[in-house]
Amino acid sequence: MNTRVAKRFFLLASLVVVIVFFSTTYPAPAKLVSRKLTDEEYQMLRRTEGVYQQGRNYNIIIDGHGTGLRPPTEEEWRELRKTLTVVDRYGYGSPPPSFDNSSLKYFPPVGNQGGEGSCTSWACVYYTKTFQKALEHDWDLSGCVWEGGYWDGHPSSGYWSRIFSPDFIYHLVNGGEDEGSSFYDNMVLLRKIGCCTWARMPYDWRDHTTWPDEDAWREAPLYRSKTGLNFIRVKDSEGIVSLKRLLADSNLALISVDAEKYDRLTENDLWTVDNYQDPATNHANTVVGYDDNFGPYMEEGEIRYGAFKVVNSWSVGGGWENVADGFLLYFL
């Protein structure tokens, strides 16, 4: 593998952290080749994601926008060593040249976490949980829009019983402080407790501590997740193909990104090897699809095509993006 290709796979490997299956049934075993973490992979993940530091605020505010992805604690890492599953291959055959889950009727409108450090709950709950439950129950969300202004908005009220509440999970895992949460925290609660809908606990980015009421607690177990954390390391072409197959099979992927590098996006909101270098992991986003034919664009002096499509939780526009649609792109 030459230096340029190795660099691209390194950045992809540092971006794609976990994939999540949020249905009430397990993925078809024939589609999934998985195993337990090796010691090498475990140490690589610890280095990439880091270990939670007591007293540190992981909600980095960028132009008024919250972030909030924190790494696992030492105790959580010990549990992850035992429970995290590595997916070596998902599916078979060639994936289609493009697929976009955000264009399906099951995907909620792009939302806004405001200044709260709830990005991980937005990725896990608002986007992924809502999408998978809508897909499972054939709930049509295509008429749902984000209403009420940039900072005080919400999805259309008529759809609240079909949109899941980031605050239900975030308020349970943040320890009473608006300092972020980990993928591990969110996923464990979604599996053990479930989650209520927006109707039972509307999101309020200014409120970090209100406990869910009795109706919210009663509804949450109806929507427990069957599966936990699954990890894909995009270290070679097979990893990219597996991720494409996963997305084309109507799944979403959770990723960690460096939100302080949004200002490096190209005019088409694309991150490349040239403008996304030495990334940190401070913000959770959701991969919704890909397009092999996106482009052309220049990278390292060469013309290239192809990108993954990623949704953020900072609403549409707001200064962080150049194309006002709430999405960004990441090179293939």
Side-chain angles (χ1 to χ4, degrees):
M1 183 182 294
N2 63 40
T3 302
R4 176 183 59 79
V5 173
K7 184 177 181 181
R8 290 170 64 83
F9 281 129
F10 173 78
L11 287 175
L12 278 167
S14 68
L15 180 79
V16 180
V17 178
V18 290
I19 61 170
V20 187
F21 303 96
F22 266 155
S23 65
T24 55
T25 57
Y26 289 93
K31 291 184 177 181
L32 200 62
V33 177
S34 60
R35 56 178 172 77
K36 295 298 183 182
L37 279 171
T38 66
D39 288 337
E40 179 185 3
E41 289 165 336
Y42 173 69
Q43 294 301 329
M44 181 275 298
L45 273 178
R46 279 180 61 102
R47 288 193 302 271
T48 302
E49 299 303 304
V51 180
Y52 172 73
Q53 298 176 27
Q54 185 71 35
R56 178 176 173 182
N57 185 354
Y58 288 89
N59 181 20
I60 301 170
I61 303 297
I62 301 174
D63 294 330
H65 304 287
T67 55
L69 176 62
R70 72 158 178 82
T73 64
E74 286 286 1
E75 180 180 359
E76 290 169 352
W77 273 120
R78 287 193 291 270
E79 288 301 312
L80 284 167
R81 181 67 184 90
K82 295 183 291 185
T83 61
L84 185 61
T85 299
V86 180
V87 177
D88 284 328
R89 187 184 72 239
Y90 184 94
Y92 298 90
S94 298
S98 65
F99 198 88
D100 184 2
N101 285 298
S102 68
S103 69
L104 303 181
K105 66 181 182 179
Y106 309 114
F107 196 78
V110 174
N112 186 14
Q113 72 183 82
E116 189 172 56
S118 54
C119 66
T120 314
S121 297
W122 272 81
C124 293
V125 177
Y126 180 80
Y127 289 121
T128 307
K129 187 72 170 177
T130 296
F131 176 79
Q132 291 293 353
K133 284 301 175 183
L135 176 67
E136 179 187 344
H137 296 289
D138 196 29
W139 294 339
D140 187 348
L141 305 180
S142 58
C144 186
V145 297
W146 192 257
E147 301 176 344
Y150 189 82
W151 290 107
D152 295 300
H154 53 78
S156 304
S157 58
Y159 292 85
W160 284 11
S161 63
R162 299 179 179 183
I163 304 284
F164 287 84
S165 171
D167 267 351
F168 179 85
I169 296 294
Y170 186 59
H171 289 199
L172 298 182
V173 300
N174 67 16
E177 301 289 341
D178 184 27
E179 298 179 350
S181 63
S182 70
F183 283 127
Y184 177 86
D185 279 343
N186 282 260
M187 300 298 292
V188 166
L189 284 194
L190 284 166
R191 188 173 187 180
K192 291 185 175 181
I193 295 176
C195 186
C196 77
T197 61
W198 196 289
R200 299 299 184 189
M201 191 171 180
Y203 181 79
D204 181 356
W205 68 270
R206 298 175 182 86
D207 176 7
H208 324 303
T209 58
T210 297
W211 209 244
D213 65 17
E214 183 177 348
D215 288 340
W217 280 106
R218 287 182 179 274
E219 185 181 49
L222 301 176
Y223 300 109
R224 287 193 183 106
S225 300
K226 284 279 187 180
T227 54
L229 287 162
N230 299 272
F231 164 66
I232 284 184
R233 184 180 181 186
V234 186
K235 62 181 179 180
D236 52 28
S237 297
E238 178 57 37
I240 289 180
V241 172
S242 285
L243 182 56
K244 289 181 183 178
R245 293 190 194 114
L246 173 83
L247 295 165
D249 204 23
S250 295
N251 291 290
L252 306 180
L254 304 178
I255 57 171
S256 60
V257 303
D258 188 346
E260 295 188 280
K261 292 182 172 58
Y262 284 139
D263 62 2
R264 301 185 186 181
L265 289 167
T266 68
E267 61 181 11
N268 294 324
D269 286 342
L270 174 69
W271 269 333
T272 70
V273 166
D274 296 330
N275 62 12
Y276 191 71
Q277 298 174 345
D278 303 316
T281 55
N282 52 42
H283 190 45
N285 278 179
T286 309
V287 186
V288 300
Y290 64 92
D291 183 357
D292 291 343
N293 298 314
F294 173 82
Y297 58 88
M298 294 296 296
E299 184 182 59
E300 296 189 311
E302 297 183 13
I303 296 176
R304 304 198 188 286
Y305 293 85
F308 288 108
K309 186 177 183 181
V310 179
V311 64
N312 193 10
S313 50
W314 288 1
S315 196
V316 173
W320 69 272
E321 59 181 346
N322 299 309
V323 180
D325 61 2
F327 296 88
L328 60 140
L329 300 158
Y330 195 91
F331 68 83
L332 276 176

